[in-house]
Short mmCIF file of all heavy atoms in Angstrom, two decimals:
data_model
loop_
_atom_site.label_atom_id
_atom_site.label_comp_id
_atom_site.label_asym_id
_atom_site.label_seq_id
_atom_site.Cartn_x
_atom_site.Cartn_y
_atom_site.Cartn_z
N PRO E 1232 152.39 138.62 174.61
CA PRO E 1232 153.29 137.58 174.21
C PRO E 1232 152.58 136.32 173.77
O PRO E 1232 152.99 135.65 172.78
CB PRO E 1232 154.14 137.28 175.47
CG PRO E 1232 154.02 138.55 176.23
CD PRO E 1232 152.70 139.10 176.01
N ALA E 1233 151.43 136.01 174.34
CA ALA E 1233 150.68 134.81 173.86
C ALA E 1233 150.15 134.99 172.54
O ALA E 1233 150.15 134.09 171.66
CB ALA E 1233 149.52 134.53 174.90
N ALA E 1234 149.63 136.20 172.22
CA ALA E 1234 149.16 136.47 170.83
C ALA E 1234 150.23 136.39 169.81
O ALA E 1234 150.07 135.92 168.69
CB ALA E 1234 148.47 137.83 170.80
N GLN E 1235 151.47 136.94 170.16
CA GLN E 1235 152.53 136.89 169.22
C GLN E 1235 152.98 135.41 168.97
O GLN E 1235 153.31 135.02 167.86
CB GLN E 1235 153.69 137.70 169.76
CG GLN E 1235 153.41 139.20 169.81
CD GLN E 1235 154.58 139.97 170.36
OE1 GLN E 1235 155.59 139.34 170.74
NE2 GLN E 1235 154.44 141.30 170.39
N LEU E 1236 153.00 134.58 170.02
CA LEU E 1236 153.35 133.20 169.90
C LEU E 1236 152.35 132.45 169.04
O LEU E 1236 152.74 131.67 168.15
CB LEU E 1236 153.42 132.54 171.27
CG LEU E 1236 153.81 131.06 171.29
CD1 LEU E 1236 155.19 130.90 170.73
CD2 LEU E 1236 153.74 130.50 172.73
N ALA E 1237 151.06 132.76 169.19
CA ALA E 1237 150.01 132.08 168.33
C ALA E 1237 150.20 132.55 166.90
O ALA E 1237 149.98 131.71 165.96
CB ALA E 1237 148.66 132.45 168.85
N SER E 1238 150.51 133.80 166.70
CA SER E 1238 150.71 134.25 165.27
C SER E 1238 151.89 133.59 164.64
O SER E 1238 151.77 133.17 163.45
CB SER E 1238 150.90 135.78 165.28
OG SER E 1238 151.11 136.25 163.99
N GLN E 1239 153.01 133.47 165.36
CA GLN E 1239 154.12 132.82 164.75
C GLN E 1239 153.86 131.33 164.53
O GLN E 1239 154.28 130.77 163.48
CB GLN E 1239 155.38 132.93 165.72
CG GLN E 1239 155.86 134.36 165.88
CD GLN E 1239 156.97 134.48 166.90
OE1 GLN E 1239 157.38 133.48 167.51
NE2 GLN E 1239 157.50 135.67 167.08
N PHE E 1240 153.13 130.70 165.41
CA PHE E 1240 152.77 129.32 165.17
C PHE E 1240 151.89 129.12 163.98
O PHE E 1240 152.05 128.18 163.18
CB PHE E 1240 152.06 128.73 166.43
CG PHE E 1240 151.58 127.35 166.29
CD1 PHE E 1240 152.46 126.28 166.43
CD2 PHE E 1240 150.22 127.07 166.03
CE1 PHE E 1240 152.04 124.96 166.29
CE2 PHE E 1240 149.78 125.77 165.90
CZ PHE E 1240 150.70 124.71 166.02
N GLY E 1241 150.94 130.06 163.73
CA GLY E 1241 150.11 129.98 162.56
C GLY E 1241 150.85 130.17 161.28
O GLY E 1241 150.61 129.42 160.29
N GLN E 1242 151.82 131.15 161.26
CA GLN E 1242 152.62 131.33 160.04
C GLN E 1242 153.45 130.12 159.73
O GLN E 1242 153.59 129.70 158.59
CB GLN E 1242 153.44 132.58 160.23
CG GLN E 1242 152.66 133.86 160.34
CD GLN E 1242 153.50 135.06 160.55
OE1 GLN E 1242 154.74 134.89 160.69
NE2 GLN E 1242 152.98 136.23 160.64
N THR E 1243 154.04 129.53 160.79
CA THR E 1243 154.88 128.33 160.54
C THR E 1243 154.06 127.16 160.02
O THR E 1243 154.45 126.45 159.10
CB THR E 1243 155.55 127.92 161.88
OG1 THR E 1243 156.30 129.03 162.41
CG2 THR E 1243 156.44 126.74 161.67
N ALA E 1244 152.90 126.95 160.59
CA ALA E 1244 152.00 125.86 160.08
C ALA E 1244 151.55 126.09 158.67
O ALA E 1244 151.47 125.13 157.91
CB ALA E 1244 150.75 125.72 160.98
N PHE E 1245 151.29 127.35 158.33
CA PHE E 1245 150.86 127.63 156.97
C PHE E 1245 152.01 127.37 155.93
O PHE E 1245 151.79 126.83 154.88
CB PHE E 1245 150.46 129.12 156.86
CG PHE E 1245 150.08 129.51 155.44
CD1 PHE E 1245 148.85 129.21 154.91
CD2 PHE E 1245 150.97 130.33 154.70
CE1 PHE E 1245 148.55 129.57 153.65
CE2 PHE E 1245 150.62 130.71 153.41
CZ PHE E 1245 149.39 130.36 152.85
N LYS E 1246 153.23 127.75 156.31
CA LYS E 1246 154.38 127.48 155.41
C LYS E 1246 154.63 126.00 155.27
O LYS E 1246 154.88 125.51 154.16
CB LYS E 1246 155.64 128.20 155.99
CG LYS E 1246 155.55 129.72 155.92
CD LYS E 1246 156.79 130.35 156.46
CE LYS E 1246 156.72 131.90 156.41
NZ LYS E 1246 157.92 132.52 156.97
N GLN E 1247 154.55 125.25 156.37
CA GLN E 1247 154.76 123.80 156.26
C GLN E 1247 153.67 123.13 155.43
O GLN E 1247 153.99 122.26 154.65
CB GLN E 1247 154.80 123.18 157.70
CG GLN E 1247 156.02 123.64 158.49
CD GLN E 1247 156.03 123.04 159.86
OE1 GLN E 1247 155.05 122.36 160.27
NE2 GLN E 1247 157.12 123.26 160.63
N GLY E 1248 152.44 123.60 155.55
CA GLY E 1248 151.39 123.09 154.73
C GLY E 1248 151.53 123.36 153.29
O GLY E 1248 151.25 122.50 152.42
N GLN E 1249 151.97 124.57 152.97
CA GLN E 1249 152.21 124.92 151.59
C GLN E 1249 153.34 124.09 151.01
O GLN E 1249 153.22 123.61 149.85
CB GLN E 1249 152.53 126.42 151.45
CG GLN E 1249 152.63 126.92 150.09
CD GLN E 1249 152.89 128.42 150.02
OE1 GLN E 1249 153.14 129.04 151.06
NE2 GLN E 1249 152.84 129.01 148.86
N GLU E 1250 154.40 123.89 151.75
CA GLU E 1250 155.51 123.07 151.25
C GLU E 1250 155.12 121.62 151.05
O GLU E 1250 155.47 120.96 150.04
CB GLU E 1250 156.69 123.18 152.20
CG GLU E 1250 157.35 124.55 152.30
CD GLU E 1250 158.46 124.59 153.36
OE1 GLU E 1250 158.62 123.63 154.00
OE2 GLU E 1250 159.11 125.65 153.47
N TYR E 1251 154.30 121.12 151.94
CA TYR E 1251 153.85 119.76 151.83
C TYR E 1251 152.97 119.56 150.60
O TYR E 1251 153.02 118.54 149.90
CB TYR E 1251 153.06 119.34 153.11
CG TYR E 1251 152.46 117.98 153.05
CD1 TYR E 1251 153.26 116.83 153.31
CD2 TYR E 1251 151.12 117.80 152.77
CE1 TYR E 1251 152.70 115.55 153.24
CE2 TYR E 1251 150.56 116.53 152.73
CZ TYR E 1251 151.34 115.41 152.95
OH TYR E 1251 150.80 114.17 152.89
N LEU E 1252 152.08 120.49 150.34
CA LEU E 1252 151.19 120.47 149.21
C LEU E 1252 151.99 120.54 147.91
O LEU E 1252 151.71 119.76 146.99
CB LEU E 1252 150.19 121.59 149.23
CG LEU E 1252 149.19 121.66 148.13
CD1 LEU E 1252 148.31 120.42 148.11
CD2 LEU E 1252 148.28 122.90 148.28
N GLU E 1253 152.99 121.42 147.86
CA GLU E 1253 153.79 121.49 146.66
C GLU E 1253 154.61 120.22 146.40
O GLU E 1253 154.72 119.79 145.23
CB GLU E 1253 154.75 122.72 146.74
CG GLU E 1253 154.05 124.08 146.72
CD GLU E 1253 154.97 125.23 146.84
OE1 GLU E 1253 156.20 124.97 147.02
OE2 GLU E 1253 154.52 126.39 146.71
N GLN E 1254 155.12 119.65 147.45
CA GLN E 1254 155.86 118.38 147.25
C GLN E 1254 155.00 117.27 146.74
O GLN E 1254 155.41 116.50 145.89
CB GLN E 1254 156.55 118.01 148.59
CG GLN E 1254 157.64 118.98 149.01
CD GLN E 1254 158.22 118.57 150.40
OE1 GLN E 1254 157.73 117.61 150.97
NE2 GLN E 1254 159.19 119.34 150.84
N ASN E 1255 153.78 117.14 147.25
CA ASN E 1255 152.86 116.12 146.81
C ASN E 1255 152.31 116.34 145.43
O ASN E 1255 152.11 115.39 144.66
CB ASN E 1255 151.75 115.90 147.83
CG ASN E 1255 152.17 115.22 149.13
OD1 ASN E 1255 152.19 114.03 149.21
ND2 ASN E 1255 152.60 116.05 150.06
N VAL E 1256 152.09 117.63 145.06
CA VAL E 1256 151.60 117.92 143.75
C VAL E 1256 152.67 117.69 142.73
O VAL E 1256 152.41 117.17 141.60
CB VAL E 1256 151.07 119.35 143.70
CG1 VAL E 1256 150.76 119.80 142.21
CG2 VAL E 1256 149.82 119.49 144.56
N ASN E 1257 153.90 118.00 143.03
CA ASN E 1257 154.99 117.81 142.08
C ASN E 1257 155.29 116.35 141.84
O ASN E 1257 156.01 116.01 140.86
CB ASN E 1257 156.32 118.48 142.66
CG ASN E 1257 156.22 119.97 142.57
OD1 ASN E 1257 155.54 120.51 141.72
ND2 ASN E 1257 156.89 120.63 143.47
N ARG E 1258 154.72 115.42 142.62
CA ARG E 1258 154.88 114.05 142.30
C ARG E 1258 154.16 113.63 141.04
O ARG E 1258 154.58 112.71 140.36
CB ARG E 1258 154.43 113.17 143.49
CG ARG E 1258 155.24 113.30 144.82
CD ARG E 1258 154.66 112.43 145.87
NE ARG E 1258 155.40 112.55 147.11
CZ ARG E 1258 155.13 111.93 148.28
NH1 ARG E 1258 154.08 111.13 148.30
NH2 ARG E 1258 155.79 112.11 149.38
N PHE E 1259 153.02 114.26 140.82
CA PHE E 1259 152.22 113.93 139.67
C PHE E 1259 152.40 114.83 138.52
O PHE E 1259 152.36 114.45 137.37
CB PHE E 1259 150.73 113.93 140.11
CG PHE E 1259 150.42 112.99 141.28
CD1 PHE E 1259 150.36 113.53 142.56
CD2 PHE E 1259 150.25 111.68 141.07
CE1 PHE E 1259 150.09 112.67 143.65
CE2 PHE E 1259 149.94 110.83 142.12
CZ PHE E 1259 149.90 111.33 143.41
N VAL E 1260 152.55 116.14 138.76
CA VAL E 1260 152.73 117.10 137.71
C VAL E 1260 153.67 118.25 138.20
O VAL E 1260 153.56 118.61 139.39
CB VAL E 1260 151.37 117.67 137.23
CG1 VAL E 1260 150.64 118.41 138.38
CG2 VAL E 1260 151.54 118.61 136.04
N SER E 1261 154.46 118.72 137.32
CA SER E 1261 155.36 119.80 137.72
C SER E 1261 154.62 121.12 137.63
O SER E 1261 154.00 121.51 136.65
CB SER E 1261 156.57 119.83 136.72
OG SER E 1261 157.41 120.92 137.00
N VAL E 1262 154.71 121.84 138.78
CA VAL E 1262 154.01 123.11 138.87
C VAL E 1262 154.62 124.15 137.93
O VAL E 1262 153.94 124.89 137.24
CB VAL E 1262 153.96 123.61 140.28
CG1 VAL E 1262 153.32 125.03 140.36
CG2 VAL E 1262 153.26 122.65 141.23
N SER E 1263 155.96 124.15 137.84
CA SER E 1263 156.66 125.05 136.94
C SER E 1263 156.28 124.75 135.49
O SER E 1263 156.10 125.63 134.67
CB SER E 1263 158.16 124.98 137.17
OG SER E 1263 158.63 123.68 136.93
N ALA E 1264 156.20 123.48 135.14
CA ALA E 1264 155.81 123.13 133.75
C ALA E 1264 154.37 123.49 133.48
O ALA E 1264 153.98 123.86 132.36
CB ALA E 1264 156.04 121.64 133.47
N LEU E 1265 153.50 123.39 134.48
CA LEU E 1265 152.11 123.70 134.33
C LEU E 1265 151.93 125.21 134.14
O LEU E 1265 151.04 125.62 133.36
CB LEU E 1265 151.30 123.27 135.55
CG LEU E 1265 149.79 123.26 135.42
CD1 LEU E 1265 149.28 122.36 134.28
CD2 LEU E 1265 149.16 122.83 136.75
N LYS E 1266 152.73 126.04 134.76
CA LYS E 1266 152.64 127.45 134.59
C LYS E 1266 152.99 127.85 133.12
O LYS E 1266 152.52 128.89 132.64
CB LYS E 1266 153.61 128.18 135.52
CG LYS E 1266 153.23 128.06 137.01
CD LYS E 1266 154.23 128.80 137.89
CE LYS E 1266 153.80 128.68 139.36
NZ LYS E 1266 154.81 129.36 140.22
N HIS E 1267 153.78 127.07 132.48
CA HIS E 1267 154.14 127.40 131.09
C HIS E 1267 152.88 127.36 130.20
O HIS E 1267 152.83 128.24 129.24
CB HIS E 1267 155.12 126.29 130.58
CG HIS E 1267 155.43 126.40 129.14
ND1 HIS E 1267 156.37 127.21 128.56
CD2 HIS E 1267 154.83 125.70 128.07
CE1 HIS E 1267 156.37 127.07 127.27
NE2 HIS E 1267 155.47 126.15 126.99
N TYR E 1268 151.93 126.50 130.49
CA TYR E 1268 150.74 126.43 129.62
C TYR E 1268 149.71 127.54 129.89
O TYR E 1268 148.75 127.66 129.14
CB TYR E 1268 150.10 125.04 129.80
CG TYR E 1268 150.97 123.92 129.26
CD1 TYR E 1268 151.94 123.31 130.04
CD2 TYR E 1268 150.83 123.51 127.91
CE1 TYR E 1268 152.74 122.31 129.56
CE2 TYR E 1268 151.61 122.48 127.43
CZ TYR E 1268 152.57 121.87 128.27
OH TYR E 1268 153.39 120.87 127.77
N PHE E 1269 149.85 128.21 130.97
CA PHE E 1269 148.94 129.34 131.26
C PHE E 1269 149.60 130.70 131.06
O PHE E 1269 149.03 131.74 131.46
CB PHE E 1269 148.47 129.22 132.74
CG PHE E 1269 147.53 128.10 132.97
CD1 PHE E 1269 147.95 126.86 133.37
CD2 PHE E 1269 146.16 128.27 132.81
CE1 PHE E 1269 147.09 125.82 133.60
CE2 PHE E 1269 145.26 127.30 133.03
CZ PHE E 1269 145.73 126.01 133.43
#
C-alpha cells in the first residue's frame, strides 16, 4: 500500500507540474499556434 500511495502521489505531482508549465507558457506564446508552424 505504501508503494501504491507513492506512485499515485508521483503521478498527481507530474500532472500538476505539466498543467502549471502549460499555463505559464501560454502566457507568452500559444502552444497550439506554435504547433501550426511545425
Side-chain angles (χ1 to χ4, degrees):
Q1235 294 180 357
L1236 181 62
S1238 177
Q1239 294 177 0
F1240 178 77
Q1242 293 177 0
T1243 304
F1245 177 77
K1246 291 180 181 179
Q1247 292 179 355
Q1249 186 177 8
E1250 293 176 358
Y1251 177 80
L1252 181 61
E1253 291 179 355
Q1254 292 176 359
N1255 286 272
V1256 171
N1257 287 331
R1258 294 180 182 179
F1259 304 97
V1260 61
S1261 176
V1262 178
S1263 59
L1265 192 61
K1266 292 180 180 179
H1267 171 85
Y1268 292 88
F1269 288 92

